[in-house]
Amino acid sequence: MRSKALIYLVGAVYIYCQVFAQDIYIAELMVESNVTLEAETILSVLNSTTNLQVTDANGVNHTVTLLQSETLAECLIIGPETTCNCSAGYIWSNEVCYNFNCCSDASCSGNVSFITPLCISKVPVRFNGSATLNTSMWDETKTAMLETAFKGLNGFESLNITAQRLDATIVDFETAVSVKFETSKLLGIVSKLESDLKAVLHIDTTGMVTIEAPPAMVCYLSNPELKCTFEEATDAAGWSMSNEHSRFQLNSGTVVALDNACSTPEYQSCVGVRLTEVTGLWAGIYECGFTKGSVRHTARAQLGVALLPDEIIIKINPITGDCSETAVTHIEVMGTATIPKSIQNFTVWWSYRGKKQSDLQPNHSGDYLEYTFTCDISCKESPVAHYFEVTFRNMRDQIKTARVDIPVIYAGAGFCDMEIVNGETWPKTPNGDTAINRTCPEGRVGYKSRTCEERTWTSPYSNCVSEELNKISGQADYFQRGLGATPEVALNIFEGLQNNSDFDSDSSDTIADISASVNILNVMASASNNIPLGEKVLSPFMDAASNMLNNTWATVNNSVLHSMSSTYLESVESLVKNINIRNDSKNILTENLDLKYCSSSECNVSLFDISLNLNQTIGTMKTVAVKNLMDKLRNNFHNTNPTSLLVSATLEDRGNSSIVIQLDFPKDESNQTQPFCVFWNTKMKDWSDVGCTVKTEGNNRTLCECNHLTSFSVLMAKTDVSNDILDKITLVGLIVSICALALFLIIESLVWSAVVKTNLSHFRHTAMVNIATFLLLADCCFLASTSPETLGESWCLIFTVCKHLFYLVKFSWMLCLSVMLVHQLIFVFSPLRKRVFMFLSSIVGYVCPILIVGSSYVYYKYTNKPYYCKKTCWLIYERLLVGSIHAFLLPIGTVVLTNVFSMVVVIVTLLKSSAADGSKADDKDTAKSIIKVMVVLTPVFGVTWGIGFFLLTSDEKDPMFHIANYSFTILNSFQGLFVLLSGCFAEQKVREELIKIVMGKTKGQSDSTKNLTSTTYTKDK
């Protein structure tokens, strides 16, 4: 019997049903006949058929449309003999090859017509491999063994030896096949070859993996995605990127985000990569790889990026426009924009003050392109800044613009003259501008800057970093982005940092190197949150970090110093926490760092004489003690001084939420002060005592206990200003004072017209109203800022300025009151005129406080010194005559001393009056008068504030200190109440007028005459 089976590949079957709408499928159709049929006949029938009815596995019928069909295979069956052939472009499937030994393009005589799929499309699969021999050298026999083994693969085409290395002990080869295969089949061949050749084989394939990538060039700063899929499950997956210069392994970072969770039942292995805001650095060939055993399946795709310059440097000559001479009407400035050479062309133009001038053409200068232009700038003074812009446009019409401002010195304006210092030229520069000098010593790159302040040059600030550190910084930046982020690269970075961390001096260039080194630590600490770091980096990291602390960092201002030290501490803490260690890892001790581990349930370790105890149920504790850093960190905590050590503690695999850690710090014997247990608050960039308490102190030790982990230390204060009893007294006193002062002002408004009859009474009541008003405002601000941790920095600053100003105004009016009283006592027959008093009092009471507060704030702002403490929302006391608090203490001290003098004058005057008129009063009456003066004038004159000066100079161990501390708190918190008592109820006229208002009565004429006589007598006296 003779029959013929035709297998057709029916392609692109379009399903029109609702469930599978717009899905495209590939199907096989087998036609059997006992007569001879030509393939063209069947194809013509299929091509004339538009719709077919098919039934799916669930028994549901669907109407499909045939879009394309072609012959896949043809089998001729004559009796028991079968001859099958695949059509051109197809090859026997793996099942046919490995079960029927039909593995080439030749006819197959096996009965295979029932197998599906019978033939599959040819796919070019290539793999490159290497074989490393263990004992012998490579020869032709081994080549034959290699070829014979790979011929066992379906669709084998060729094998070529491409290279022999290391005296023929390593051989590289290429193999080509025309069909995809299962990895297990190739691994079986590799395993047998390794046994027969006594060698180690590694193979990379191409053609097995499907890669998805952007089909066209992507935009600059876009976010492209690539994805690779593979049908089989594998052991590992990853990405790499290569360009004309280098090849980098990709890992998750600030730019790279790997996705290993995209597999499906059809594609059991999947790895994707998403790039964020790509630049020209990320243009290149991307390769994904799936590894199983010694076989790695790969796929490649080109990613093109529409480039724009990553960096545009604009230089101007001259650096400063000099219009200081009146005869000069305009100046000519030349600008040069420099970018690295690019493989893509840009459209470039320059603008002046935002207006386009002309297009620019590049000039080649080594590895850079330069665009040069000139511009005439008018010397007519204008509020609009002079500036150039250079704009680059790429093939996707994206643009990038760089700007440079041109400092211009107009006639009559302040400036700093040109100076040449150590061979460096600093050009003539306007006040307030900063000159940039891009000339660095040999072996260094960067720039130096110098600011002109009030016609005086500041010291130059160097950012000239050694070329080697600059190179390491670039590697760290790549690592953080995820480019080349491997354990080997991390080790190279830390070893390079270690080799370049021996700083010999505190010169400006050395500080630039230290700053760059700290930045490298910070970048690697940030990268360690995404990329695991191995134990091998610990030793070079610890050595480098320790070496950085051998210098004082003294040549930078406090702002830079505090920023560098804070970054250093947080970077070291983060790296110690994130670097992976083994259970048998050894402790590391360097000159300034002491690192120890503990994995037991109870940890007791000693670091630089600091004893640490921690009980935990699970995890590994990492602790590192640091020397020579405390004096570099910001410290606004309660006017305290730093000690010499701090310790950082972290816990890996933490199982319990609550934790108690005890730290025993050494205490300086000569420092007889109050200790505070504190931790470094990374958000506030300062010390805090939240969750930490001093358990015991003595024997020159301080025991701290904290309920969290971070960096800890001990700060020493002149006195313990944190006292719950004093805080409660202050709160109650402020509330009482605010109420009393409000009542005082109400009473004054009610009785004003009745009691203010003379110039003297007008002076007194005007001063008292101002004292009460501003004391009320100051107390309200004080009460509003009793919880600084809940306030933002802006509100904290506002409350500090308001308290500073209001208290000064209050004291200034106290001064006016006391001086007025002394004047009236001494110059009885030359009374002050109301206009003179109000004018002088306004100057002293309003203008002077505003000038003091404004000038002190401006001074501390522009000297980069802290004006206020964020922890207390009040001025800062560092030491005697150092700190913004002295802008308050010195004026207050002057007022208090003057008021004490005034009280003495009043008392002496009373004594003299009593002695001259002894027949009218006895000693008892004199004593009563003096006591009344002291009781009335002491709170009004603010004499109680003098106790505060005693507290600043006294020893906390002195018993009188605590008495004075409580006295100061009580007297000044309740000062508003004392003002009410002495200013209203102690004055007879106010008291009587208030009784009239309350009782609703008026007194008789005799009482009025009596009061008038009494008033006249008091005035004359």
Side-chain angles (χ1 to χ4, degrees):
M1 180 177 179
R2 178 188 179 103
S3 67
K4 191 171 185 178
L6 301 177
I7 309 297
Y8 292 92
L9 182 67
V10 182
V13 179
Y14 193 73
I15 310 296
Y16 280 103
C17 71
Q18 182 179 1
V19 178
F20 300 102
Q22 298 187 0
D23 286 347
I24 297 177
Y25 292 91
I26 304 296
E28 282 190 3
L29 175 66
M30 184 173 71
V31 179
E32 292 186 354
S33 174
N34 57 0
V35 297
T36 301
L37 291 175
E38 296 295 334
E40 288 75 10
T41 303
I42 303 299
L43 287 175
S44 63
V45 174
L46 291 174
N47 290 333
S48 63
T49 303
T50 56
N51 296 325
L52 290 177
Q53 294 294 322
V54 297
T55 304
D56 63 20
N58 297 321
V60 179
N61 294 323
H62 302 282
T63 300
V64 300
T65 299
L66 302 182
L67 300 180
Q68 181 182 355
S69 58
E70 61 179 303
T71 305
L72 182 67
E74 183 177 356
C75 293
L76 181 62
I77 304 172
I78 302 176
E81 296 182 0
T82 302
T83 302
C84 291
N85 292 284
C86 290
S87 299
Y90 290 88
I91 194 171
W92 300 115
S93 66
N94 288 333
E95 183 180 358
V96 173
C97 175
Y98 299 135
N99 292 326
F100 295 90
N101 199 26
C102 296
C103 299
S104 64
D105 293 339
S107 300
C108 181
S109 58
N111 184 14
V112 297
S113 61
F114 64 93
I115 296 175
T116 303
L118 180 61
C119 297
I120 58 178
S121 177
K122 288 185 177 181
V123 177
V125 176
R126 305 289 183 267
F127 51 86
N128 299 316
S130 66
T132 303
L133 301 175
N134 297 328
T135 57
S136 59
M137 297 175 61
W138 195 263
D139 54 30
E140 292 297 328
T141 304
K142 293 181 175 59
T143 300
M145 294 173 61
L146 197 66
E147 184 173 359
T148 300
F150 285 123
K151 281 183 176 179
L153 289 173
N154 185 21
F156 175 82
E157 294 179 352
S158 63
L159 180 140
N160 296 311
I161 302 298
T162 56
Q164 296 185 24
R165 297 176 281 134
L166 296 179
D167 297 328
T169 59
I170 300 177
V171 64
D172 299 326
F173 58 88
E174 293 179 345
T175 302
V177 296
S178 55
V179 66
K180 293 183 177 181
F181 48 81
E182 293 184 356
T183 307
S184 57
K185 180 68 174 179
L186 182 58
L187 286 174
I189 295 173
V190 169
S191 178
K192 187 174 185 308
L193 281 171
E194 287 181 334
S195 176
D196 295 343
L197 296 173
K198 294 182 175 53
V200 176
L201 271 70
H202 294 280
I203 293 177
D204 286 355
T205 76
T206 58
M208 299 281 289
V209 173
T210 302
I211 187 170
E212 300 174 14
M217 184 175 292
V218 300
C219 290
Y220 188 79
L221 297 182
S222 62
N223 306 314
E225 296 183 14
L226 298 90
K227 185 172 76 171
C228 285
T229 54
F230 184 53
E231 290 83 353
E232 304 177 38
T234 52
D235 301 329
W239 283 91
S240 64
M241 189 274 284
S242 58
N243 53 35
E244 58 180 343
H245 302 294
S246 306
R247 183 178 186 274
F248 304 95
Q249 182 174 322
L250 301 184
N251 214 325
S252 292
T254 58
V255 174
V256 178
L258 297 184
D259 179 14
N260 291 291
C262 54
S263 59
T264 63
E266 182 181 2
Y267 296 102
Q268 299 182 48
S269 294
C270 177
V271 61
V273 60
R274 186 177 188 272
L275 306 176
T276 302
E277 296 186 351
V278 293
T279 61
L281 174 66
W282 299 92
I285 298 175
Y286 284 75
E287 179 181 283
C288 62
F290 298 98
T291 303
K292 189 169 186 178
S294 57
V295 175
R296 181 171 175 266
H297 300 294
T298 68
R300 294 181 178 182
Q302 178 83 36
L303 179 66
V305 179
L307 302 181
L308 280 171
D310 293 334
E311 182 181 23
I312 305 171
I313 299 176
I314 303 179
K315 297 180 181 180
I316 58 175
N317 185 24
I319 298 177
T320 301
D322 188 0
C323 292
S324 58
E325 301 293 335
T326 56
V328 179
T329 60
H330 70 277
I331 54 175
E332 185 178 87
V333 178
M334 183 177 70
T336 301
T338 305
I339 65 169
K341 277 188 176 179
S342 174
I343 59 174
Q344 297 179 13
N345 296 322
F346 305 115
T347 301
V348 186
W349 67 88
W350 71 282
S351 305
Y352 171 63
R353 284 181 169 177
K355 184 178 180 181
K356 181 178 178 180
Q357 300 298 310
S358 62
D359 290 340
L360 299 175
Q361 299 301 321
N363 298 314
H364 294 267
S365 177
D367 293 331
Y368 296 91
L369 297 177
E370 294 182 346
Y371 299 82
T372 303
F373 55 92
T374 58
C375 180
D376 283 339
I377 294 178
S378 172
C379 284
K380 184 178 180 180
E381 189 168 354
S382 170
V384 181
H386 297 276
Y387 63 91
F388 293 144
E389 289 178 323
V390 179
T391 303
F392 292 77
R393 183 170 61 201
N394 63 16
M395 60 184 64
R396 288 292 188 92
D397 288 331
Q398 294 179 285
I399 63 172
K400 186 172 184 179
T401 300
R403 166 174 167 163
V404 61
D405 289 345
I406 309 158
V408 177
I409 304 173
Y410 295 106
F415 59 87
C416 294
D417 281 321
M418 183 187 73
E419 282 189 3
I420 299 177
V421 180
N422 298 326
E424 299 168 347
T425 301
W426 298 99
K428 196 174 182 179
T429 301
N431 266 341
D433 280 3
T434 299
I436 303 296
N437 191 325
R438 297 190 179 274
T439 302
C440 288
E442 185 177 356
R444 293 183 172 273
V445 294
Y447 64 89
K448 292 184 178 181
S449 63
R450 201 177 184 195
T451 302
C452 176
E453 293 183 355
E454 298 179 358
R455 304 192 180 193
T456 303
W457 284 110
T458 61
S459 299
Y461 176 76
S462 175
N463 195 37
C464 290
V465 181
S466 75
E467 291 180 346
E468 189 62 30
L469 273 176
N470 188 62
K471 180 180 177 182
I472 297 170
S473 179
Q475 293 175 342
D477 181 59
Y478 280 9
F479 191 93
Q480 183 186 32
R481 298 186 196 186
L483 193 63
T486 64
E488 295 77 16
V489 172
L491 181 60
N492 290 337
I493 291 172
F494 283 110
E495 286 180 343
L497 196 59
Q498 177 188 23
N499 296 333
N500 290 274
S501 61
D502 292 328
F503 309 111
D504 299 329
S505 65
D506 280 326
S507 68
S508 59
D509 286 340
T510 297
I511 291 299
D513 285 347
I514 294 176
S515 178
S517 300
V518 171
N519 287 335
I520 292 171
L521 284 184
N522 184 41
V523 169
M524 294 304 293
S526 175
S528 67
N529 294 320
N530 298 317
I531 305 165
L533 298 180
E535 187 182 20
K536 290 183 178 180
V537 306
L538 262 177
S539 181
F541 151 62
M542 290 286 289
D543 285 339
S546 177
N547 291 340
M548 295 177 200
L549 298 178
N550 287 333
N551 294 75
T552 63
W553 305 4
T555 59
V556 294
N557 59 42
N558 284 337
S559 178
V560 176
L561 177 68
H562 293 158
S563 177
M564 285 175 57
S565 56
S566 174
T567 301
Y568 174 91
L569 175 60
E570 294 167 24
S571 301
V572 168
E573 184 179 90
S574 181
L575 284 168
V576 168
K577 176 183 178 181
N578 292 336
I579 293 175
N580 299 320
I581 61 170
R582 303 188 308 268
N583 292 332
D584 59 345
S585 296
K586 296 181 179 179
N587 300 326
I588 299 178
L589 175 63
T590 63
E591 184 176 355
N592 294 303
L593 299 178
D594 189 359
L595 174 65
K596 290 185 178 177
Y597 315 103
C598 177
S599 301
S600 61
S601 59
E602 182 172 352
C603 291
N604 291 282
V605 296
S606 178
L607 311 97
F608 285 151
D609 201 25
I610 302 174
S611 299
L612 185 149
N613 175 267
L614 174 67
N615 295 325
Q616 86 271 6
T617 58
I618 190 174
T620 299
M621 183 183 71
K622 298 178 179 179
T623 56
V624 58
V626 186
K627 286 183 179 179
N628 294 327
L629 183 64
M630 286 293 294
D631 59 335
K632 300 176 177 65
L633 289 164
R634 183 194 309 277
N635 179 21
N636 290 328
F637 185 85
H638 291 335
N639 300 326
T640 54
N641 294 319
T643 52
S644 58
L645 295 171
L646 68 83
V647 61
S648 171
T650 60
L651 186 61
E652 283 187 349
D653 305 323
R654 180 172 170 178
N656 52 336
S657 58
S658 61
I659 217 167
V660 176
I661 183 172
Q662 290 187 335
L663 306 103
D664 188 7
F665 286 88
K667 185 177 179 182
D668 189 355
E669 294 185 15
S670 63
N671 198 356
Q672 301 297 324
T673 50
Q674 176 70 33
F676 287 89
C677 296
V678 293
F679 75 95
W680 184 252
N681 189 316
T682 55
K683 292 184 179 179
M684 298 181 63
K685 306 295 182 184
D686 208 337
W687 296 105
S688 171
D689 61 351
V690 177
C692 293
T693 56
V694 178
K695 300 299 291 183
T696 60
E697 60 168 313
N699 298 322
N700 296 320
R701 308 287 299 182
T702 300
L703 180 63
C704 297
E705 186 173 283
C706 300
N707 59 13
H708 54 79
L709 297 179
T710 182
S711 296
F712 305 99
S713 188
V714 170
L715 301 175
M716 310 307 294
K718 181 73 177 175
T719 131
D720 184 2
V721 295
S722 180
N723 185 304
D724 290 339
I725 298 177
L726 290 177
D727 291 343
K728 292 178 181 178
I729 292 174
T730 300
L731 183 61
V732 173
L734 286 173
I735 295 174
V736 172
S737 288
I738 290 172
C739 295
L741 291 168
L743 180 60
F744 173 85
L745 293 174
I746 294 172
I747 292 173
E748 281 289 329
S749 66
L750 293 175
V751 304
W752 182 271
S753 59
V755 299
V756 178
K757 300 292 187 181
T758 64
N759 284 349
L760 182 60
S761 61
H762 181 272
F763 298 160
R764 181 179 183 277
H765 283 276
T766 299
M768 289 300 299
V769 167
N770 276 279
I771 292 171
T773 300
F774 286 98
L775 180 57
L776 174 63
L777 293 174
D779 286 348
C780 289
C781 291
F782 197 104
L783 188 63
S785 58
T786 52
S787 299
E789 64 276 3
T790 63
L791 299 174
E793 289 189 16
S794 298
W795 278 110
C796 190
L797 172 61
I798 291 172
F799 283 132
T800 302
V801 172
C802 288
K803 287 185 287 185
H804 190 186
L805 177 62
F806 295 155
Y807 279 126
L808 283 184
V809 173
K810 181 199 75 167
F811 274 98
S812 298
W813 277 99
M814 286 180 176
L815 178 63
C816 294
L817 183 61
S818 67
V819 171
M820 180 272 298
L821 179 59
V822 171
H823 182 275
Q824 293 300 112
L825 287 173
I826 296 176
F827 305 101
V828 178
F829 300 104
S830 300
L832 281 172
R833 287 181 297 171
K834 183 186 294 186
R835 181 180 299 177
V836 174
F837 174 78
M838 293 305 299
F839 176 75
L840 295 177
S841 298
S842 298
I843 296 296
V844 175
Y846 300 134
V847 178
C848 290
I850 291 174
L851 290 177
I852 292 173
V853 174
S855 59
S856 60
Y857 174 75
V858 171
Y859 170 78
Y860 283 97
K861 179 177 178 61
Y862 285 97
T863 55
N864 292 320
K865 295 179 181 179
Y867 168 73
Y868 71 104
C869 174
K870 299 175 185 176
K871 297 288 292 182
T872 60
C873 291
W874 185 229
L875 306 175
I876 292 175
Y877 175 81
E878 299 181 22
R879 59 182 183 275
L880 189 62
L881 297 180
V882 178
S884 60
I885 190 67
H886 291 87
F888 176 75
L889 294 179
L890 294 179
I892 297 307
T894 303
V895 173
V896 170
L897 290 176
T898 304
N899 290 354
V900 169
F901 171 77
S902 300
M903 285 183 60
V904 172
V905 171
V906 173
I907 294 171
V908 170
T909 303
L910 288 173
L911 290 173
K912 288 182 178 181
S913 299
S914 299
D917 195 15
S919 61
K920 295 182 180 180
D922 55 15
D923 293 342
K924 186 175 181 179
D925 292 331
T926 302
K928 287 182 178 180
S929 298
I930 294 173
I931 292 172
K932 181 179 179 180
V933 169
M934 294 181 65
V935 170
V936 173
L937 295 184
T938 295
V940 176
F941 283 180
V943 177
T944 54
W945 282 73
I947 302 174
F949 292 93
F950 169 77
L951 293 174
L952 286 176
T953 58
S954 61
D955 189 350
E956 187 262 341
K957 304 294 184 181
D958 189 344
M960 289 300 297
F961 176 86
H962 297 287
I963 298 175
N965 199 12
Y966 277 88
S967 301
F968 177 78
T969 302
I970 294 171
L971 292 174
N972 288 285
S973 296
F974 288 90
Q975 190 174 9
L977 177 62
F978 298 144
V979 170
L980 174 66
L981 296 176
S982 61
C984 286
F985 301 129
E987 185 175 345
Q988 183 180 357
K989 290 181 63 178
V990 174
R991 189 169 61 249
E992 291 177 352
E993 186 64 27
L994 186 60
I995 291 174
K996 287 182 184 180
I997 295 173
V998 174
M999 301 300 295
K1001 298 179 181 180
T1002 59
K1003 294 196 174 184
Q1005 183 65 33
S1006 59
D1007 291 335
S1008 300
T1009 305
K1010 181 180 177 181
N1011 282 340
L1012 180 59
T1013 305
S1014 175
T1015 302
T1016 305
Y1017 172 77
T1018 303
K1019 177 181 178 183
D1020 294 341
K1021 186 176 180 178

mmCIF file of all heavy atoms in Angstrom, residues 124 165 193 201 242 248 263 462 519 572 625 725 801 921-922 928 934:
data_model
loop_
_atom_site.group_PDB
_atom_site.id
_atom_site.type_symbol
_atom_site.label_atom_id
_atom_site.label_comp_id
_atom_site.label_asym_id
_atom_site.label_seq_id
_atom_site.Cartn_x
_atom_site.Cartn_y
_atom_site.Cartn_z
ATOM 1 N N PRO A 124 20.017 29.539 14.462
ATOM 2 C CA PRO A 124 21.473 29.548 14.630
ATOM 3 C C PRO A 124 21.848 29.632 16.112
ATOM 4 O O PRO A 124 21.587 30.640 16.770
ATOM 5 C CB PRO A 124 21.908 30.792 13.858
ATOM 6 C CG PRO A 124 20.704 31.682 13.854
ATOM 7 C CD PRO A 124 19.517 30.772 13.850
ATOM 8 N N ARG A 165 46.278 28.716 24.802
ATOM 9 C CA ARG A 165 46.962 29.620 25.723
ATOM 10 C C ARG A 165 47.721 28.829 26.780
ATOM 11 O O ARG A 165 47.445 27.651 27.023
ATOM 12 C CB ARG A 165 45.948 30.554 26.406
ATOM 13 C CG ARG A 165 45.225 31.471 25.428
ATOM 14 C CD ARG A 165 44.147 32.306 26.141
ATOM 15 N NE ARG A 165 42.922 31.552 26.383
ATOM 16 C CZ ARG A 165 42.258 31.531 27.525
ATOM 17 N NH1 ARG A 165 42.724 32.208 28.553
ATOM 18 N NH2 ARG A 165 41.148 30.844 27.650
ATOM 19 N N LEU A 193 33.176 14.919 28.625
ATOM 20 C CA LEU A 193 34.431 15.480 28.111
ATOM 21 C C LEU A 193 35.408 15.803 29.239
ATOM 22 O O LEU A 193 36.615 15.575 29.125
ATOM 23 C CB LEU A 193 34.148 16.740 27.291
ATOM 24 C CG LEU A 193 33.646 16.530 25.860
ATOM 25 C CD1 LEU A 193 33.212 17.855 25.248
ATOM 26 C CD2 LEU A 193 34.742 15.882 25.008
ATOM 27 N N LEU A 201 35.688 22.492 31.695
ATOM 28 C CA LEU A 201 35.087 23.179 30.565
ATOM 29 C C LEU A 201 34.092 24.240 31.039
ATOM 30 O O LEU A 201 33.364 24.030 32.018
ATOM 31 C CB LEU A 201 34.365 22.194 29.645
ATOM 32 C CG LEU A 201 35.211 21.561 28.509
ATOM 33 C CD1 LEU A 201 36.221 20.592 29.102
ATOM 34 C CD2 LEU A 201 34.306 20.849 27.505
ATOM 35 N N SER A 242 28.792 46.351 27.977
ATOM 36 C CA SER A 242 30.132 46.620 27.476
ATOM 37 C C SER A 242 30.073 47.730 26.431
ATOM 38 O O SER A 242 29.082 47.883 25.706
ATOM 39 C CB SER A 242 30.750 45.353 26.855
ATOM 40 O OG SER A 242 29.942 44.858 25.800
ATOM 41 N N PHE A 248 31.258 45.852 32.038
ATOM 42 C CA PHE A 248 30.833 46.001 33.417
ATOM 43 C C PHE A 248 29.728 45.008 33.730
ATOM 44 O O PHE A 248 28.809 44.807 32.928
ATOM 45 C CB PHE A 248 30.293 47.413 33.682
ATOM 46 C CG PHE A 248 31.259 48.514 33.355
ATOM 47 C CD1 PHE A 248 31.213 49.153 32.124
ATOM 48 C CD2 PHE A 248 32.202 48.913 34.282
ATOM 49 C CE1 PHE A 248 32.087 50.172 31.817
ATOM 50 C CE2 PHE A 248 33.089 49.944 33.986
ATOM 51 C CZ PHE A 248 33.040 50.566 32.752
ATOM 52 N N SER A 263 9.529 35.505 35.834
ATOM 53 C CA SER A 263 9.366 34.198 35.188
ATOM 54 C C SER A 263 7.892 33.821 35.090
ATOM 55 O O SER A 263 7.052 34.306 35.848
ATOM 56 C CB SER A 263 10.122 33.122 35.967
ATOM 57 O OG SER A 263 9.649 33.041 37.296
ATOM 58 N N SER A 462 40.615 74.858 48.998
ATOM 59 C CA SER A 462 41.106 73.964 47.951
ATOM 60 C C SER A 462 40.200 72.754 47.788
ATOM 61 O O SER A 462 39.833 72.094 48.764
ATOM 62 C CB SER A 462 42.519 73.487 48.291
ATOM 63 O OG SER A 462 42.952 72.529 47.338
ATOM 64 N N ASN A 519 33.798 61.317 51.234
ATOM 65 C CA ASN A 519 32.737 61.170 50.232
ATOM 66 C C ASN A 519 32.733 59.778 49.626
ATOM 67 O O ASN A 519 31.661 59.223 49.329
ATOM 68 C CB ASN A 519 32.902 62.222 49.139
ATOM 69 C CG ASN A 519 32.528 63.617 49.606
ATOM 70 O OD1 ASN A 519 31.747 63.782 50.539
ATOM 71 N ND2 ASN A 519 33.104 64.625 48.970
ATOM 72 N N VAL A 572 30.666 55.205 58.328
ATOM 73 C CA VAL A 572 31.345 54.110 59.037
ATOM 74 C C VAL A 572 30.309 53.197 59.680
ATOM 75 O O VAL A 572 30.405 51.961 59.590
ATOM 76 C CB VAL A 572 32.321 54.675 60.086
ATOM 77 C CG1 VAL A 572 32.808 53.570 61.013
ATOM 78 C CG2 VAL A 572 33.509 55.341 59.403
ATOM 79 N N ALA A 625 34.304 51.359 68.189
ATOM 80 C CA ALA A 625 34.612 52.561 68.956
ATOM 81 C C ALA A 625 35.496 53.466 68.109
ATOM 82 O O ALA A 625 36.344 52.988 67.345
ATOM 83 C CB ALA A 625 35.304 52.202 70.262
ATOM 84 N N ILE A 725 11.633 69.015 88.235
ATOM 85 C CA ILE A 725 11.012 69.942 89.184
ATOM 86 C C ILE A 725 11.136 71.374 88.682
ATOM 87 O O ILE A 725 10.166 72.153 88.685
ATOM 88 C CB ILE A 725 11.661 69.792 90.580
ATOM 89 C CG1 ILE A 725 11.423 68.377 91.113
ATOM 90 C CG2 ILE A 725 11.109 70.835 91.542
ATOM 91 C CD1 ILE A 725 12.082 68.106 92.440
ATOM 92 N N VAL A 801 14.653 84.412 68.027
ATOM 93 C CA VAL A 801 14.817 85.843 67.742
ATOM 94 C C VAL A 801 13.809 86.671 68.545
ATOM 95 O O VAL A 801 14.156 87.719 69.110
ATOM 96 C CB VAL A 801 14.655 86.101 66.229
ATOM 97 C CG1 VAL A 801 14.628 87.602 65.941
ATOM 98 C CG2 VAL A 801 15.785 85.441 65.457
ATOM 99 N N ALA A 921 10.670 111.246 111.878
ATOM 100 C CA ALA A 921 10.608 109.789 111.674
ATOM 101 C C ALA A 921 11.690 109.130 112.494
ATOM 102 O O ALA A 921 12.765 109.682 112.666
ATOM 103 C CB ALA A 921 10.760 109.458 110.197
ATOM 104 N N ASP A 922 11.432 107.954 112.901
ATOM 105 C CA ASP A 922 12.450 107.222 113.654
ATOM 106 C C ASP A 922 13.114 106.199 112.763
ATOM 107 O O ASP A 922 12.786 106.058 111.588
ATOM 108 C CB ASP A 922 11.831 106.571 114.896
ATOM 109 C CG ASP A 922 10.650 105.680 114.544
ATOM 110 O OD1 ASP A 922 10.504 105.354 113.333
ATOM 111 O OD2 ASP A 922 9.887 105.301 115.438
ATOM 112 N N LYS A 928 11.499 100.582 107.288
ATOM 113 C CA LYS A 928 10.323 100.170 106.516
ATOM 114 C C LYS A 928 10.364 100.743 105.098
ATOM 115 O O LYS A 928 10.028 100.068 104.126
ATOM 116 C CB LYS A 928 9.054 100.632 107.227
ATOM 117 C CG LYS A 928 8.719 99.842 108.482
ATOM 118 C CD LYS A 928 7.400 100.355 109.091
ATOM 119 C CE LYS A 928 7.029 99.533 110.318
ATOM 120 N NZ LYS A 928 5.759 100.013 110.932
ATOM 121 N N MET A 934 13.034 98.076 98.204
ATOM 122 C CA MET A 934 13.653 96.849 97.703
ATOM 123 C C MET A 934 12.608 95.865 97.194
ATOM 124 O O MET A 934 12.773 95.238 96.152
ATOM 125 C CB MET A 934 14.502 96.208 98.803
ATOM 126 C CG MET A 934 15.712 97.040 99.209
ATOM 127 S SD MET A 934 16.714 96.240 100.485
ATOM 128 C CE MET A 934 17.297 94.820 99.591
#
